[in-house]
Amino acid sequence: MGSMLNSMMRLRTRAFLLVVPYIVAALVKMVQYNLKKITVVPNGKEMIDIVLSRTQRQTPTVVHKGYAISRLRQFYMRKVKYTQQNFHDKLSAIIDEFPRLDGIHPFYGDLLHVLYNKDHYKLALGQVNTARNLISKIAKDYVRLLKYGDSLYRCKCLKVAALGRMCTIIKRISPSLAYLEQVRQHMARLPSIDPNTRTMLICGCPNVGKSSFMNKITRAEVDVQPYAFTTKSLFVGHTDYKYLRYQVIDTPGILDRPFEDRNIIEMCSITALAHLRAAVLFFLDISGACGYTIGQQQRLFNEIKSLFMNKPLIIVCNKTDLQPFDTLPEQDKKLIEEMKADAMKTVLGQGGEATSEEGVLLTMSALTEDGVIAVKNAACERLLDQRVELKMKSKKINDCLNRFHVAMPKPRDQKERPPCIPPGVLEAKAKEAAAQAEKEKRKTERDLEDENGGAGVYSASLKKHYILANDEWKEDIMPEILDGHNVYDFVDPDILHRLEELEREEGLRLADEAEDDFEMDGEELTPEEREALAEIRRTKSLLIQQHRMKKSTAGSRPIVPRKFDKDRQFTTERMGRQLTKLGLDPSAAINRARSKSRGRKRERSPEVMGEGDAMDLDNEQSNKKMRAMSRSRSRSRSKSRPPTEVVPGEGLKDSVQKGKAIKLAKKSAKKRNKNARKGEADRVILNMKPKHLFSGKRGIGKTDRR
């Protein structure tokens, strides 16, 4: 019995040891390439503020002269050690979270080297590491000195010197911290690429249709433009084939030039081709619309074909809608056949069979989507075959095959059991097909747009689904603001009834005018009156034309006061001459203009006058004073309007509504006035010194430090 238990324990231990490496590898794989969770790197000033503020808040702050010297030493040693530990934790987090270029996948190592120059990257991390060691050494030295401090003053000076030297070291590495923060931000924007999963890599010359193909087979929205180098970095999308997830990487275009002359954008593509085990799709633009001939594209293929070794390779002839493959010149066809032969050598070098020649050269059009799915399926199939073949050749397959068992059910009788679909499922499928057909028949806004000239020409009507009594009303123009008033305030539900009444009244008025038969046609006038009428009409037309001319030339200005009328153009004499010229009596108009009040003079009381003045005014007092008093009584002073009185044009219904609006306005401004804001746009923060950085520790029993 004991031997059986021992054997069972050994088996379980062995199973556990077999499983642990896979668990560890999975965990490492999850955290190894997650570049988006690196903590923000503070600059030198921020790090000093954070650490010193934490030291101030988390360590004792009150010390007295009467303390024993051992207590004073312990008090200041604690501050130095706590500050050193905080700096050590911050700097260690920076060093540990940033990936080490020698310890990650070569793809990420080379990509980071291309983007940031690994020498600068390592130098910045090395300076942070050196600063961490120096701060630890400073703390150790000053703690040793503090052990022999002989007074409160000496201990305090040693503490200040220790913290000052630590802050000086942090200030010196401020450029390195700023550089690492920029690198962190850029690394967070890099796509999450898994180097070990099933991957399809799209490469080729610029503007040959790589991004268009990726947008067709994945849900990635890569920018597509009709010019070169629209894609400036690596883009990742995902697609499915045979219930497996595939990673699709769109690379920037590569130019046919020496390796030393390539820029950072091209080196991203070269890095992905060199380090990722993926199915490579080399795109050819056989129409020449990309700006590169087939000969130039073949030279690029020959230059980078060493990067295709031990990888499934497919040559994709794109843009067959512009240039069908059959209509190519013989010389171009010969170049493509040479590229196909080189690709076959790569396939045969992997141990592939000659039957795989069918999937080496494919044609497609990303615009018409002709052959897009065939290219995707061929790439996925060849990549899957290669991965299975490599796993079958590995040594681990024997251990795995021993654990697999495929169960084959035995027939229990000779009865045929064909697949059966329940009637309810068939009915549901038929209804779904009918609904789909009806949906396809109905024209959408996109269909209407295509029929009426496309985007920018056709504008969809937002009113065609309005539910109105008459469909002709849908396109009526309803202004929101008219003459400075809100139209909705004047909408009356009985407007049609009132309009009918107005039209009826207008008809009666026109009928009365027709009965009166009064018309200034000039037949019943004398020759002099006819001439006056013609002159009046001519002058009126001239005034209208003059007004229109002034209005069109920005001459519509307010009337200037008479004291500024230097040319004396607007006087009663001039008006009298013009009216007399027209044959009219100007006396009534002149008297009316002269009698118009120009203001009110202050009357002096008899008490204020002198004796001579009083005697001179005795005779005229009864007349002039009475006239002045009657005039002052007839003309009352202007009164100030109450705030709730409605003024025409405000858009408010009555004084009650205006009072509510005033109350709401005051209530909304109350919070702003409490904060002493000048207005809604006042964003000034006057507290430039946060109290938690410039105040001491809270006392016993006091919980409100504000």
Side-chain angles (χ1 to χ4, degrees), residues 191-477:
S192 298
I193 298 174
D194 187 358
N196 302 311
T197 190
R198 294 168 293 274
T199 306
M200 287 191 293
L201 198 61
I202 308 171
C203 66
C205 286
N207 199 22
V208 294
K210 301 185 294 297
S211 300
S212 301
F213 173 73
M214 183 169 178
N215 289 342
K216 296 295 181 184
I217 66 172
T218 68
R219 282 185 285 184
E221 297 180 355
V222 186
D223 188 20
V224 177
Q225 297 294 340
Y227 49 80
F229 286 108
T230 307
T231 305
K232 296 184 176 64
S233 62
L234 300 177
F235 285 89
V236 181
H238 293 86
T239 186
D240 293 331
Y241 178 72
K242 288 188 177 180
Y243 305 104
L244 293 174
R245 179 60 57 90
Y246 285 80
Q247 181 178 252
V248 186
I249 300 178
D250 180 21
T251 62
I254 308 173
L255 296 178
D256 177 24
R257 54 184 176 181
F259 185 81
E260 297 80 11
D261 298 339
R262 300 193 189 280
N263 55 24
I264 295 177
I265 298 176
E266 295 175 88
M267 288 306 298
C268 291
S269 302
I270 298 296
T271 304
L273 285 170
H275 294 291
L276 293 179
R277 289 169 47 193
V280 180
L281 301 175
F282 187 83
F283 269 63
L284 282 176
D285 183 2
I286 59 176
S287 66
C290 65
Y292 303 97
T293 62
I294 295 180
Q296 292 174 323
Q297 298 179 59
Q298 190 222 14
R299 286 196 295 273
L300 173 65
F301 177 84
N302 292 331
E303 187 175 347
I304 63 174
K305 68 181 179 181
S306 59
L307 301 173
F308 302 151
M309 295 301 296
N310 299 324
K311 296 173 187 173
L313 175 62
I314 296 176
I315 300 173
V316 182
C317 298
N318 193 19
K319 301 187 182 180
T320 55
D321 55 316
L322 300 177
Q323 177 75 48
F325 185 79
D326 298 335
T327 60
L328 281 175
E330 291 297 330
Q331 185 178 1
D332 293 342
K333 283 186 178 180
K334 185 178 179 182
L335 295 175
I336 294 175
E337 289 296 330
E338 291 177 3
M339 296 170 63
K340 180 180 177 182
D342 292 339
M344 283 301 303
K345 290 178 184 177
T346 306
V347 173
L348 295 174
Q350 303 169 17
E353 299 178 0
T355 54
S356 58
E357 180 181 356
E358 299 176 359
V360 175
L361 181 64
L362 297 174
T363 59
M364 60 161 276
S365 171
L367 181 64
T368 61
E369 300 186 12
D370 183 19
V372 171
I373 301 301
V375 171
K376 182 193 98 168
N377 293 344
C380 294
E381 191 67 37
R382 295 192 57 190
L383 179 62
L384 197 60
D385 292 343
Q386 190 216 26
R387 289 173 67 91
V388 171
E389 185 180 353
L390 291 176
K391 287 182 180 178
M392 292 297 291
K393 291 179 180 180
S394 65
K395 297 179 180 179
K396 295 181 181 179
I397 190 65
N398 296 325
D399 298 334
C400 296
L401 288 177
N402 292 334
R403 303 178 217 167
F404 294 154
H405 172 69
V406 181
M408 299 296 293
K410 295 180 180 180
R412 60 186 178 183
D413 51 23
Q414 302 298 326
K415 187 177 180 180
E416 289 287 337
R417 290 181 174 83
C420 176
I421 302 177
V425 176
L426 292 174
E427 293 177 2
K429 196 157 187 177
K431 290 181 181 178
E432 185 180 352
Q436 186 68 21
E438 184 180 355
K439 185 178 179 181
E440 290 177 356
K441 288 181 183 177
R442 187 172 65 247
K443 286 189 176 181
T444 62
E445 288 294 335
R446 177 62 62 86
D447 299 335
L448 294 174
E449 180 182 312
D450 294 338
E451 291 177 2
N452 293 281
V457 179
Y458 172 75
S459 179
S461 175
L462 303 177
K463 301 179 181 179
K464 61 182 177 183
H465 297 300
Y466 284 4
I467 303 174
L468 301 176
N470 190 352
D471 289 340
E472 296 179 357
W473 297 346
K474 290 182 179 180
E475 301 299 330
D476 289 350
I477 299 174

Side-chain angles (χ1 to χ4, degrees), residues 151-162:
S151 65
L152 171 63
Y153 178 75
R154 183 71 56 86
C155 293
K156 187 173 183 179
C157 289
L158 289 173
K159 185 266 297 185
V160 171

